[in-house]
Amino acid sequence: MFRFLRRRDAEAPAEPVDVPAEAAERAAAFWKWWDDHLPEIASALGDSEPQRIENLVAEAVAGVHPDLTFSIEHGEGAAFALVISSQADPELRPYTDAWMAAAPAADTLWEYHDSVPAVPDPTQVTVNLRGEKYSLEQVRVAAQVDESEGLVDVAVYHPGFHKLDDNARRALTFLPLDATLGERLAADRLGRVETAEAEPEGAIGLLELRELVHEVDRNAQ
């Protein structure tokens, strides 16, 4: 079982902490808080005033772990989705795993995700960078499977790369991958990620990439 050391104060000796147990306790506290405050949260969102409850939710999420991020999105099968993310940090996963395990069942109003989910069709997504719009339908990807490691190395190309500086080009390299695969699958199954200056020979689209990575993931289980 994974353990780490934490000091209660400057004088106290190091004490081992059972991470899964602590994560479960924090998750239970969050969901009790969520149940108590859900009417207030629903009211703010119904009034299109999410700022009324943003700090409250942020504090509750920090109670699960201060390094987690969260967002409230439109749900796929519900009106809203609460997303809490470890941003692919393996040390934070016990906390998101415990949070998700204790989550209530989704209903027509809320659904819950422990990582940023994939969008249904990334080719229909347009992103805004530096005041310009870039359709993800134009993204082409060269993919090479490393079967021994269960990873897929990719080189990502978009015809709009030449207009962008390095930081924006990097964003347009990774955004399509997260939108296509979701945060967790991308972290688990993508190996080397490169930006291609020209469209690679034999490149595929994002939906084909999704099928390929899902196949690699199934074979690696």
Side-chain angles (χ1 to χ4, degrees):
M1 184 174 294
F2 180 72
R3 293 173 179 268
F4 67 93
L5 299 180
R6 182 180 61 184
R7 291 186 180 273
R8 289 182 177 175
D9 54 55
E11 301 299 325
E15 177 184 345
V17 176
D18 186 331
V19 173
E22 182 181 61
E25 182 178 343
R26 293 185 183 189
F30 175 90
W31 289 117
K32 182 182 184 305
W33 176 91
W34 180 259
D35 188 57
D36 291 343
H37 289 79
L38 194 53
E40 180 182 357
I41 294 168
S43 175
L45 296 177
D47 294 341
S48 298
E49 296 181 351
Q51 67 276 8
R52 289 191 346 223
I53 48 86
E54 183 177 358
N55 288 338
L56 285 174
V57 178
E59 290 177 6
V61 171
V64 179
H65 195 286
D67 293 334
L68 296 176
T69 63
F70 83 98
S71 63
I72 295 176
E73 313 280 355
H74 292 294
E76 297 176 13
F80 301 105
L82 175 62
V83 181
I84 290 186
S85 170
S86 66
Q87 297 183 300
D89 185 338
E91 293 188 5
L92 298 181
R93 276 202 180 178
Y95 296 92
T96 54
D97 287 346
W99 177 85
M100 193 66 198
D107 54 29
T108 57
L109 186 59
W110 285 98
E111 61 190 52
Y112 308 99
H113 301 279
D114 60 351
S115 60
V116 179
V119 302
D121 186 352
T123 65
Q124 299 301 308
V125 172
T126 298
V127 299
N128 292 293
L129 287 171
R130 304 294 192 268
E132 298 286 342
K133 295 182 178 181
Y134 297 89
S135 170
L136 300 192
E137 186 177 16
Q138 294 181 284
V139 172
R140 305 294 291 171
V141 182
Q144 183 173 355
V145 176
D146 183 341
E147 294 182 358
S148 64
E149 296 292 334
L151 297 175
V152 181
D153 296 330
V154 297
V156 180
Y157 170 77
H158 192 286
F161 276 163
H162 70 279
K163 301 178 182 179
L164 298 170
D165 60 31
D166 289 344
N167 288 337
R169 192 178 300 119
R170 178 179 174 83
L172 192 55
T173 297
F174 283 91
L175 279 171
L177 301 176
D178 286 338
T180 300
L181 303 174
E183 175 191 337
R184 178 162 290 198
L185 185 60
D188 286 347
R189 295 299 168 208
L190 292 184
R192 185 172 64 251
V193 177
E194 298 178 349
T195 299
E197 295 183 359
E199 180 174 345
E201 184 177 352
I204 59 177
L206 292 177
L207 294 178
E208 294 170 284
L209 175 68
R210 175 183 286 171
E211 292 180 5
L212 174 64
V213 175
H214 275 286
E215 180 180 357
V216 170
D217 187 56
R218 287 191 297 270
N219 292 339
Q221 299 299 323

